[in-house]
Amino acid sequence: MKPEEMKLLVGVKTLAITCRQFGDTGKGKFADIFSQWADIIARGTGGDNAGHTICFERQKLITHLVPSGILYDSQGKINVVGSGAVINPASFLQETTQLAEKGCSYKNLKIAYNAKLILPTEVVLDRAKEAMAGAGKIGSTGKGIGPAYTDFVGREGLMIGDLLNPDFFAEKLERHLRYKKAILKNYDPELLEGIMCNYDLSNGLYYDPEDIFNFDAIFRTYMVYGEKLRPFITDTDSFMRENLGKKNILLEGAQGDLLSIDRGTYPFVTSSDCTVAGLAKGVGLKETDIDLSLGIIKGFYMTRVGAGPFPTELGGEESDKRCNGGKENRAKEKDFYGDADVNSEHEFIQGVALRMAGDEYGATTGRPRRTGWIDLPLLRYTLGFNSPDLILTKLDVLNDCKTIKVCNHYKYTGPDCVYANQKIKTGSYPEIASPAAEILKHCKPIYVSFPGWKCSLKDCHDYDSLPEELKNILAFIIKNTGAKPRIISTGPDREETIFLDLF
Ligand code: IMP
């Protein structure tokens, strides 16, 4: 580990990394860097809807549920999937199989007995709801995340630990299926059959044409999963508390603040609280147990996957339509827009070029990510409930941009309305973004334009060697948000990381 990195971590025993935007900001790289320092690496929110890409010995490794620190399992480091997570055992086992195939050990991996268990019913409900949502589509990954959290809160869910108690499991499953069948009876049977005969629902194994779900098939399959998961299942909340202040702990977030069920652009959010507070709770700790909380954003641009307001989106509705359209859009992007230029005068094309330059395609679903310029009203909003410390990633993606735009304000163009009992008038200029989707969707960005840098960042290894143009944008963001950038990333490799000492 470099000495500069150690400086940031002096006195730190528990470190958290979460995203201040819509996720996909490159947490994987930093989770990997800090895993070298950590003894324990823990996740506590979300499930296999997340996707982390880690570069390892020139190979790309994508993890969904398992923390990025798994690469260091063979060094005795312990990776934890905490009680706040939702776990689909089939996905978990697929991931451990892939790790084994790549020669990566996972013998020290622990999963919480009280993590929430994803059942086939929840995957079916997730997909059936999206299929019927029309314009209200969230763009869910279809992994059953929302219904699994809903069932937990609604006291109809099962836990990972239930897999180790066949009698309890059978009783709870029977009750759970009764509730779900009552709801799904009102859905189109053909739609349900189509969803249930999908390969990731075991090609219809759980389907009963007469009664929707086949209890026996689910029971048998989940009991086999239970035996396979048995070595990993434990009381991780107690384990984390016992090690607090003694071992170096890294808490690894999933998704981002703006997708949090509590703080995000509701209802276009995921169903976990992916803020640092949610993460701490999801591993059995308190937010105040964290010594250093680092927020990640992309360097001067943003992305969003799925539906929901995105004021700075390049190409607006056209981009939204393309990215949230069918699968064929993914395959054809490079063929249709191979020569798209980040300096194009057409915003939509600029957005496509940025997506290709940043390889902005979902690690979990392969969906094209919507792209746009950095949004400071939203950053001011997320910094309002976080420490100011930031990591800025992927700055090299903007190397060819002649002009970089920063949104510092919005103009609200929607109908007059009341938010938090305050009038918002059409034509007004809100300082801080409101996370309410129906307001945010009417906010038009007001940009400040900056000249881009005219060099590669390959030879920049410290703040002084960074181009002046980049430093100017950084200074503008610091001045207008109160953020404290601590680290910037100029490429995917570990070496392409600059530790700043500005404060
Ligand atoms: P769900 O969590 O699969 O239900 O999806 C809800 C919303 O969160 C959708 O708009 C997804 O695209 C988005 N989402 C879920 N996981 C991720 C992620 O890891 N990165 C970015 N967006 C995500």
Side-chain angles (χ1 to χ4, degrees), residues 24 129 179 208 213 222 253 271 310 335 339 351 371 390 403 410:
D24 308 317
K129 269 175 69 181
Y179 296 137
D208 177 345
F213 292 106
Y222 272 65
S271 295
F310 184 2
D335 293 346
D339 56 356
T371 48
L390 286 188
T403 302
Y410 297 143

Side-chain angles (χ1 to χ4, degrees), residues 22 24 49-51 138-141 145 255 259 269-270 305-307 367:
F22 294 104
D24 308 317
N49 51 348
I138 302 287
S140 161
T141 56
I145 309 298
Q255 287 89 35
L259 287 176
V269 291
T270 188
V305 192
R367 286 183 288 182

